[in-house]
């Protein structure tokens, strides 16, 4: 009897087109085989001549079996290390319905607000929570981590108050990783970080700002008002890094006089995850809002005058301001911010206060017990952390023997940080480490909060925080918001340069396993052997895929990967006595993060022209490299190009830069067209970052999380980022880029799982299909909207740019009109007006089947016919179906209808739309109003009723 092989191959689940689809698409392209298409697309000189040397792909069942064994190598001790990370309880209703729900985690950044109102409201809730708890009037929709937020605060303060001052004060009792991330950011900009005691700092050094921790890293709660007044007298601004839960009981930073407040919202229901991903918060005074980094959700109106939400003040962002941007941040931690905001919605102000009182009460009980045992506490006033004078090494060892982690501050001091998961039993177990004779029922704990710092102001008074406290109500609220947002659960999201591919369930499952989710990032490495195996194997696989020698997994966003790579290049030049090299060449087509990152790294940007075919102008590159040869540090190049083609001259580009003493930084945004076909380390790049949230399947989460590890050649390996708490990086490491040693460690599991499921052959096939899908769409749509750039053989890479400039001239139809009309067909628009104004950049990925590609193409072709109606004069230029889009159910069911097209055509323009209809929650947004009247907290409930 023949026993057939089990049919469950993950490659077949991940790749959308089946064999018939592939044949039909190749026939449409006039290609005899998939390999013939690839040969016509990828330059022969850079092709990888062998298969990728990676393990054979696993089945989903086999992967999860293996991963359970790896997870078992992690040991989850009771951990009281603190330092900005706390164990927490993720409410099950939030875990199941947001964190583990593809309707939330497969959404894209809400640049199309009409089909993003759910997560925009969830993020507005988050901003409101931050505003209320910090006592400051404006907040953004999250940043990458607390250390990054502190560094961004320093940049804001300098932009506002810099003047002649070149120093920034940082309190020595800030979290150590925060201090070092701030140092990393300051150094290339020529700013000096002065670390000292805020109580004794004399301000003889002129500073533009100061950062203090509240409570401090060792638990002290101090009244910051006098220090902040001294900062202000110097003409500087004050930044307070505050524990968000403590602000339920303590006077908020805004009331203490702070200008900026930053911190982490991790303990609001977001798993530790060995360091992330977590959402940092950032709040400031209103006059500084235009310097605030990251995204801001604001309230505006739609075309019918109803309240609607959008991302406000987008002209601040790096893709517009480029090297003049305050920050290179182009993403956030949206999914984690949403979870933290929902945690506040679910618990409400009374619940949050009770949790804070629970944590503080147990800490006070522990303090009483330690005093009874004869131990001295360093600080009289504290919230959740105690610094205990003791023989640190002995105590830490004794605790470890009981499967407890305590923090060693120095040889004579340990600290203990409690959290919401703690109980009286935990207090007893910790006391047992220090000795016996402190029975809890004999202790008389007292509050350790200074009376003058006890919070009296109200917070979270908006109805959204006082309504959804039963699971039934909470579930319905989250589902209501989810229903307003288009995600990959509805249709393809063909955003060019974004790679919105499948985020497979099997890849996602382990992220919330407690063996991975409950590890503190600073737990002893002996307790994280499972994670160590994941990091080692993922790094090895990425080295093979890219052709580089070494990898840093620390950068926790693509832009952070850019920044890290450039700092590594900078340090390499300095180590060779060529620290004067400060010129970075950047093609004019580059993504806005490139010049923003280069400016942050202290480089002077010189723009290189592109030719009429969209390629780097080699003669201009040669001229500018020669002119700047003495100072040339680097070239930043995206490959395949931002224009969606494999440039034939990429090896020549790298050669020119090397010839003149520079290094080549490759932006890995388009790596989905390279995997298995070519490797940047082979064709001349020295460093590249990888967007794991694109090529390697980490979901976009509605605007984060992401990961941007860097891969480097051998000569750059010694300079990979280090960390002050856990030894990572090269022998001559640059400072940390992120607060945690391995960035957002828990989501590295997703990329590891993707590669292990696909295997080398599967990954290569995925790349080929991504290129096939893009060329098929370019072929179908090119007859209606010209494809702007193609390679020498008439093909595109994994994406294509459709030129809509002619329809603007002929019919006054804007790219935005087409984007909004696509919503009526049930699709998210491709990338609009990037990298060329008046175009759409389409990237289908390998995960979409031919039927879905055809639905999108049919929609675009139908829209072209609607435009022709305008061109022919059959529809007015100012009141046609495109200008009226998107059409909401409310508009279409109104009693009156005075538009020159039918309701039927507006709602159901093609037959299949009826069964796949997605209804936009609001009409077209008024962008100008939302910026002119900035409101970035929840508006009164009456506004919604209106």
């Amino acid at each position: 009897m023949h026993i057939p092989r089990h049919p469950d191959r993950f490659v077949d689940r991940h790749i959308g087109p089946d064999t018939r689809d592939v044949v039909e698409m190749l026939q449409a392209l006039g290609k005899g085989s998939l390999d013939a298409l690839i040969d016509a697309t990828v330059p022969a000189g850079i092709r990888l001549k062998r298969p990728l040397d990676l393990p054979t792909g696993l089945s989903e069942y086999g992967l999860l079996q293996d991963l359970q064994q790896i997870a078992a190598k992690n040991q989850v001790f009771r951990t009281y290390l603190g330092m900005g990370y706390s164990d927490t309880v993720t409410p099950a209703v939030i875990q199941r319905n947001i964190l583990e729900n593809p309707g939330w985690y497969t959404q894209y950044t809400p640049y199309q607000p009409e089909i993003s109102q759910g997560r925009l409201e969830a993020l507005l809730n988050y901003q409101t929570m931050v505003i209320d708890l910090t006592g400051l009037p404006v907040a953004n929709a999250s940043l990458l981590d607390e250390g990054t937020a502190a560094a961004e605060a320093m940049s804001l303060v300098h932009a506002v108050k810099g003047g002649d001052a070149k120093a920034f004060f940082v309190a020595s009792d800030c979290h150590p990783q925060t201090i070092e991330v701030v140092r990393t950011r300051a150094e290339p900009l020529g700013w000096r970080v002065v670390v000292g005691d805020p109580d004794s700092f004399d301000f003889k050094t002129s500073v533009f700002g100061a950062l203090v921790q509240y409570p401090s890293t060792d638990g002290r709660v101090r009244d910051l008002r006098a220090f902040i007044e001294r900062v202000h007298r110097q003409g500087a601004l004050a930044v307070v890094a505050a524990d968000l839960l403590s602000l339920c009981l303590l006077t908020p930073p805004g009331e203490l006089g702070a200008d900026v407040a930053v911190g982490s919202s991790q303990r609001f229901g977001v798993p530790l995850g060995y360091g992330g991903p977590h959402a940092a918060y950032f709040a400031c005074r209103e006059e500084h809002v235009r310097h605030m980094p990251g995204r801001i959700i604001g309230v505006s109106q739609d075309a019918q005058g109803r309240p609607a939400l959008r991302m406000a003040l987008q002209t601040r962002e790096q893709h517009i301001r480029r090297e003049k941007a305050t920050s290179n941040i182009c993403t956030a931690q949206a999914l984690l911010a949403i979870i933290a905001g929902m945690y506040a919605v679910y618990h409400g102000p009374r619940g949050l206060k009770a949790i804070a009182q629970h944590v503080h009460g147990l800490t006070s009980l522990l303090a009483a017990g330690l005093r009874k045992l004869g131990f001295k506490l360093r600080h009289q006033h504290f919230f959740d952390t105690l610094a205990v004078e003791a023989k640190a090494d002995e105590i830490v060892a004794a605790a470890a023997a009981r499967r407890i982690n305590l923090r060693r501050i120095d040889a004579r001091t340990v600290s203990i940080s409690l959290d919401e998961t703690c109980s009286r039993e935990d207090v007893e177990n910790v006391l047992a480490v220090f000795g016996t004779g402190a029975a809890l029922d004999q202790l008389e704990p007292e509050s350790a909060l200074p009376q003058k710092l006890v919070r009296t102001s109200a917070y979270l008074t908006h109805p959204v925080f006082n309504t959804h406290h039963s699971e039934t109500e909470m579930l319905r609220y989250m589902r209501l918001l989810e229903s307003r947002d288009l995600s990959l659960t509805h249709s393809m999201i063909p955003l060019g340069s974004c790679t919105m591919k499948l985020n497979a369930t099997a890849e996602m499952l382990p992220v919330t396993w407690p063996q991975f989710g409950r590890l503190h990032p600073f737990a002893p490495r002996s307790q994280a052997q499972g994670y160590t195996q994941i990091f080692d194997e993922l790094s090895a696989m990425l080295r093979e895929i890219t052709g580089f020698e070494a990898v840093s997994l620390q950068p926790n966003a693509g832009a952070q990967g850019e920044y890290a790579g450039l700092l590594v290049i900078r340090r390499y030049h300095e180590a060779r006595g060529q620290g004067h090299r400060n010129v970075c060449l950047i093609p004019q087509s580059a993504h806005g993060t490139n010049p923003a990152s280069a400016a942050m790294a202290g480089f002077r940007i010189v723009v290189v022209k592109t030719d009429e075919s969209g390629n780097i102008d080699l003669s201009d590159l040669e001229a500018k490299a020669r002119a700047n040869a003495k100072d040339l540090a680097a070239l930043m190049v995206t490959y395949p190009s931002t224009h969606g083609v494999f440039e034939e001259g990429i090896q020549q580009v790298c050669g020119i830069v090397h010839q003149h003493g520079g290094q080549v930084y490759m932006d890995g945004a388009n790596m989905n067209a390279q995997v298995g076909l070519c490797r940047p380390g082979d064709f001349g790049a020295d460093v590249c970052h990888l967007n794991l949230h694109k090529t390697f399947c980490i979901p976009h989460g509605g605007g984060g999380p992401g990961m941007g590890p860097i891969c480097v050649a051998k000569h750059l390996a010694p300079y990979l980022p280090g960390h002050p708490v856990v030894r990572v990086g090269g022998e001559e490491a640059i400072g940390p880029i992120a607060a945690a040693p391995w960035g957002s460690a828990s989501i590295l599991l997703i990329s590891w799982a993707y590669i292990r499921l696909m295997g080398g052959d599967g990954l290569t096939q995925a790349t080929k299909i991504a290129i096939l899908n893009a060329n098929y769409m370019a072929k179908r749509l090119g007859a209606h909207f010209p494809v702007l750039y193609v390679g020498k053989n008439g093909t595109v890479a994994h994406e294509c740019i459709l030129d809509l400039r002619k329809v603007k001239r002929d019919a006054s139809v804007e790219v935005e009109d087409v984007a909004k009309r696509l919503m009526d067909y049930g699709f998210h628009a491709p990338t609009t007006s990037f990298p060329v104004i008046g175009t759409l950049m389409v990237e289908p990925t390998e995960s979409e089947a031919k039927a879905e590609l055809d639905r999108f193409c049919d929609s675009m072709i139908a829209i072209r016919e609607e435009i022709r109606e305008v061109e022919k004069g059959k529809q007015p230029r100012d009141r046609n179906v495109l200008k009226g889009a998107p059409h909401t159910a409310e508009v279409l069911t109104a009693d009156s209808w005075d538009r020159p097209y039918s309701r039927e055509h507006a709602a159901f323009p093609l037959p299949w739309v009826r069964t796949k209809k997605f209804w936009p929650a609001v009409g077209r947004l008024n962008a100008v109003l939302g910026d002119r009247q900035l409101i970035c907290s929840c508006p009164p409930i009456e506004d919604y009723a209106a």
Side-chain angles (χ1 to χ4, degrees), residues 22 25-27 29-44 47 646 648 677 765 768-769 771-772 775 792-796:
V22 171
M25 288 191 284
L26 287 170
Q27 288 175 344
L29 294 169
K31 299 295 182 184
S33 68
L34 189 54
D35 285 339
L37 172 65
I38 300 305
D39 290 343
T41 303
V42 185
R47 288 289 297 277
F646 282 94
E648 295 288 328
L677 302 181
Q765 182 69 4
K768 293 178 178 179
I769 297 299
I771 292 172
L772 172 63
N775 278 277
K792 74 171 188 177
N793 295 317
T795 61
V796 299

Side-chain angles (χ1 to χ4, degrees), residues 551-692:
V551 176
S552 170
L553 299 173
Q554 189 179 109
N556 51 0
Q560 295 297 82
E562 293 178 16
Y563 181 59
L566 292 171
L567 289 185
V568 166
I569 289 173
R570 178 187 175 92
R571 182 60 57 84
Y572 165 74
H573 288 309
E574 290 171 347
R576 298 170 67 240
Q578 298 185 3
H580 62 277
R581 290 187 174 271
N582 68 343
V583 169
C584 185
L585 304 177
I586 301 180
Q588 62 186 176
S589 63
H591 193 282
T593 54
N594 288 181
S597 296
M600 282 171 52
F603 290 123
R604 179 167 62 88
I605 290 92
V606 174
V607 177
V608 178
K609 296 176 183 177
T610 52
D611 63 25
E612 60 184 17
S613 299
N615 301 319
I616 292 174
D617 185 322
L618 292 177
S619 61
D620 190 55
L621 173 66
E622 175 77 54
K624 286 174 176 169
R626 188 185 310 113
N628 293 280
K630 288 177 62 177
D631 297 321
L632 182 60
L635 164 79
M636 299 186 80
V637 59
T638 302
Y639 199 74
S641 75
T642 312
H643 291 145
V645 296
F646 282 94
E647 295 189 41
E648 295 288 328
I650 186 62
Q651 290 169 299
Q652 189 176 351
V653 166
C654 296
I656 290 170
V657 174
H658 289 150
Q659 178 186 346
H660 293 92
Q663 296 284 288
V664 176
Y665 172 91
M666 197 199 83
D667 185 319
N670 293 340
M671 193 70 194
N672 208 49
Q674 287 195 57
V675 178
L677 302 181
C678 56
R679 307 193 305 174
D682 293 342
F683 59 70
D686 299 289
V687 54
C688 80
H689 88 268
L690 300 172
N691 292 96
L692 298 188

Side-chain angles (χ1 to χ4, degrees), residues 273-288:
Y274 204 42
H278 307 141
Y281 73 83
F282 193 110
C284 68
R285 301 210 174 275
E286 197 153 4
E287 57 265 34
H288 308 319

Side-chain angles (χ1 to χ4, degrees), residues 612-613 643-645 774-791 794-797 799-805 839-842:
E612 60 184 17
S613 299
H643 291 145
V645 296
N775 278 277
Y776 174 71
M777 294 186 77
K779 179 73 172 181
R780 278 208 67 190
L781 295 174
H784 307 275
F785 301 98
V787 175
L788 193 56
Y789 299 114
V790 296
T795 61
V796 299
E799 60 192 7
C800 63
I801 298 176
L802 304 178
D803 192 349
L804 275 67
R805 290 172 294 186
T839 66
L840 292 173
M841 183 160 59
V842 183

